[in-house]
């Protein structure tokens, strides 16, 4: 990585940590500059203003999460051709990934930005909304694939279940930080995994089990 790219990445790392700790409004360019050990002109070489910094932070965050999802979904598909088992493996991998973070998840940048959306222009808000829709769509596609093989329980709305994962993750992050328990998020993802099994697995077992033998009582 070239020096200019290294400096830009360093600025983004510092800014993201500060934003997650105290919010975007309370994060000043001056403190980012001081911690990065650069001049003000060095900062503005990479980012025209604070809104451009927000946009770069959001794009970087979305790209990293996309990479994580791409990896765990790919690994899940490699380990099983069955759509239900593949998805359950994917959720287990995600839970393990969250459990391996020594201090718990640092926080959701999208959630943080959502509460301070008046500080950004529409482009930043659109990136955040588009990312959430994309992630929901990824989970919806996986659930639809499962439902094509294992009929879901009556009355289940796949869109709602797909959206539930984002709610579980953000809620798990908040509860983890509030309780000081870094493993809350891991357990919540596993709870969602169990919920998915309840929606599909009973039907799957009924389909896969052979019929019970007929026993004729002796006269």
């Amino acid at each position: 990585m070239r020096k200019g790219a290294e400096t830009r990445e360093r600025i983004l790392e510092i800014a993201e940590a500060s934003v997650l700790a105290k919010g975007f409004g309370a994060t000043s360019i001056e403190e980012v500059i001081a911690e990065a050990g650069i001049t003000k002109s060095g900062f503005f070489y990479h980012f025209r203003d604070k809104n451009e910094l927000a946009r770069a932070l959001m794009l970087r965050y979305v790209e990293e999460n996309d990479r994580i999802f791409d990896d765990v979904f790919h690994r899940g598909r490699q380990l099983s051709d069955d759509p239900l088992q593949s998805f359950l493996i994917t959720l287990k991998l995600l839970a393990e990934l969250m459990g391996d973070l020594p201090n718990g998840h640092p926080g959701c940048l999208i959630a943080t930005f959502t509460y301070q959306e008046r500080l950004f222009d529409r482009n930043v808000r659109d990136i955040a909304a588009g990312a959430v829709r994309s992630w929901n769509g990824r989970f919806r596609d996986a659930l639809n694939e499962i439902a094509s093989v294992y009929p879901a329980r009556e009355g289940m709305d796949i869109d709602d279940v797909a959206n539930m994962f984002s709610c579980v993750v953000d809620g798990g992050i908040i509860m983890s930080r509030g309780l000081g328990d870094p493993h809350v998020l891991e357990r919540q993802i596993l709870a969602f995994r169990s919920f998915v099994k309840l929606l599909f697995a009973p039907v799957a077992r009924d389909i896969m089990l052979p019929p019970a033998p007929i026993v004729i009582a002796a006269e």
Side-chain angles (χ1 to χ4, degrees), residues 137-211:
R138 186 191 292 259
F139 280 82
R140 182 175 61 250
D141 290 345
L143 291 167
N144 277 326
E145 186 178 1
I146 296 169
S148 69
V149 178
Y150 304 120
R153 291 200 174 193
E154 186 177 352
M156 187 193 81
D157 188 308
I158 284 184
D159 283 339
D160 287 340
V161 178
N163 296 349
M164 184 188 297
F165 183 78
S166 292
C167 299
V168 166
V169 169
D170 282 337
I173 292 171
I174 292 169
M175 186 174 291
S176 178
R177 297 186 68 174
L179 299 179
D181 182 350
H183 298 293
V184 169
L185 179 56
E186 176 187 11
R187 294 196 299 270
Q188 287 299 299
I189 293 175
L190 290 176
F192 178 78
R193 180 177 182 271
S194 296
F195 176 71
V196 171
K197 288 175 70 175
L198 289 173
L199 291 175
F200 294 104
V203 179
R205 283 199 298 271
D206 291 341
I207 294 173
M208 294 170 65
L209 287 176

Side-chain angles (χ1 to χ4, degrees), residues 23-98:
F24 190 77
T27 298
S28 68
I29 291 176
E30 288 72 20
E31 69 177 276
V32 173
I33 289 171
E35 188 169 344
I38 60 175
T39 63
K40 184 171 286 190
S41 61
F43 175 89
F44 288 114
Y45 172 80
H46 295 283
F47 307 102
R48 184 176 63 250
D49 51 29
K50 200 174 177 184
N51 186 80
E52 189 169 309
L53 173 64
R55 181 177 182 277
L57 283 170
M58 184 59 66
L59 288 172
R60 177 175 177 268
Y61 182 79
V62 170
E63 182 180 343
E64 174 63 15
N65 279 271
D66 282 343
R67 184 193 63 76
I68 291 171
F69 283 137
D70 286 344
D71 180 57
V72 294
F73 272 90
H74 176 67
R75 289 167 63 192
R77 286 191 295 270
Q78 282 186 318
L79 292 170
S80 179
D81 293 329
D82 180 88
L84 175 58
Q85 293 305 316
S86 173
F87 188 59
L88 294 177
I89 291 169
T90 295
L91 293 174
K92 187 72 163 64
L93 292 171
L94 277 170
E96 291 175 352
L97 186 62
M98 297 301 104

Side-chain angles (χ1 to χ4, degrees), residues 126-139:
D126 287 346
I127 293 170
V132 173
R133 294 190 189 99
S134 174
W135 297 333
N136 289 345
R138 186 191 292 259
F139 280 82

